[in-house]
Amino acid sequence: MSVSLLLPMSAFALAASISPGPVNIVCLSSGTHYPIAKGLIFVTGATLGFLALFLAIGAGLYSLLLVIPILEDALRWAGILFLLYLSYQLFRHDGSIHGPSASKPPGFMTGAMMQWLNPKAWLASAAGIGAYTSGNEPHLLWLFAALYLPICWLSLASWVYAGVFLKRYIHRPLILLSINRTLAVCLSASALFLLFE
C-alpha cells in the first residue's frame, strides 16, 4: 500500500517545495548576493525546519492550534513581521555584485524559523498529511517525511542556483537593484496577503 503512494507523495512534495513562496524568494535572492555555500546553508535550515514542522503537525500540533486559536494568531503575526523584516533587508540592498556585502546572508536558523512562520509550509504540511497519511498508519508520515527531505532540499537549492545564474548574466548593479526591489515587493505582498486571508 505505501509503495503505491510513493509517486503521488513525491509529486505533492515537489509541487509544494518548488512553487514560489517566501522561502523560495529568499533562496533566489541569496543566490544573487552570496556564495552558493551560504545559500545552501539557508536551504538546509529551511529543509530541516520544514521537516520538523511537518512531523509536529503530523503528531497533532495542528489540532492544538485549533483548540487554542490565539497560538495561531501569534504565529500568523510573527510570520507577517518576519517576512516584512526580510523584505526590508532585501529592498535596502544596493544591488552591488562585487565585493563583500554589507548585509549578512540568511543562515541556517533563519531558514528553519522561516518555515515555522511560513503559511505555505503549514498549508502544505496539513494538506499533504491529510491526503496521504492516517492516524492508524504512522509509518506513512515517516515515509512522507523521508521523501520530502531530498525533494525539498533540491527544490530550494534550485532557486539558489537560479539566483546564481541571474548574477552571472547580470553585470549592471541597476538591474540587480531592480530585481532586489521586485523580490522585496513580492515578499512584502506575501506577508500582507496573510492579513486578508
Side-chain angles (χ1 to χ4, degrees), residues 1-174:
M1 156 108 178
S2 57
V3 174
S4 64
L5 288 173
L6 286 177
L7 189 58
M9 280 180 170
S10 298
F12 181 92
L14 179 62
S17 301
I18 207 162
S19 58
V23 174
N24 308 76
I25 290 171
V26 173
C27 288
L28 181 67
S29 170
S30 187
T32 62
H33 296 105
Y34 308 106
I36 293 172
K38 297 288 187 188
L40 295 182
I41 290 170
F42 174 81
V43 165
T44 303
T47 300
L48 295 179
F50 176 79
L51 281 181
L53 174 66
F54 184 83
L55 291 170
I57 288 175
L61 179 61
Y62 199 68
S63 301
L64 178 65
L65 291 179
L66 292 175
V67 174
I68 310 172
I70 194 154
L71 288 178
E72 188 176 1
D73 290 340
L75 276 170
R76 186 166 153 254
W77 280 104
I80 290 168
L81 293 173
F82 190 62
L83 291 175
L84 289 174
Y85 167 76
L86 289 174
S87 59
Y88 168 74
Q89 293 293 329
L90 184 55
F91 192 85
R92 65 188 273 267
H93 190 279
D94 64 2
S96 60
I97 299 170
H98 304 292
S101 175
S103 60
K104 194 173 144 189
F108 182 91
M109 287 308 297
T110 302
M113 191 168 45
M114 258 192 98
Q115 293 290 30
W116 282 78
L117 300 174
N118 179 8
K120 179 188 168 193
W122 283 82
L123 290 173
S125 296
I129 288 168
Y132 298 108
T133 71
S134 73
N136 301 330
E137 298 175 291
H139 71 279
L140 290 178
L141 179 68
W142 289 98
L143 172 66
F144 206 173
L147 289 170
Y148 243 121
L149 178 63
I151 291 170
C152 182
W153 194 91
L154 291 169
S155 297
L156 295 178
S158 71
W159 282 81
V160 172
Y161 280 95
V164 171
F165 176 83
L166 279 176
K167 179 168 127 178
R168 188 172 296 156
Y169 292 98
I170 297 169
H171 300 291
R172 290 189 299 174
L174 183 60

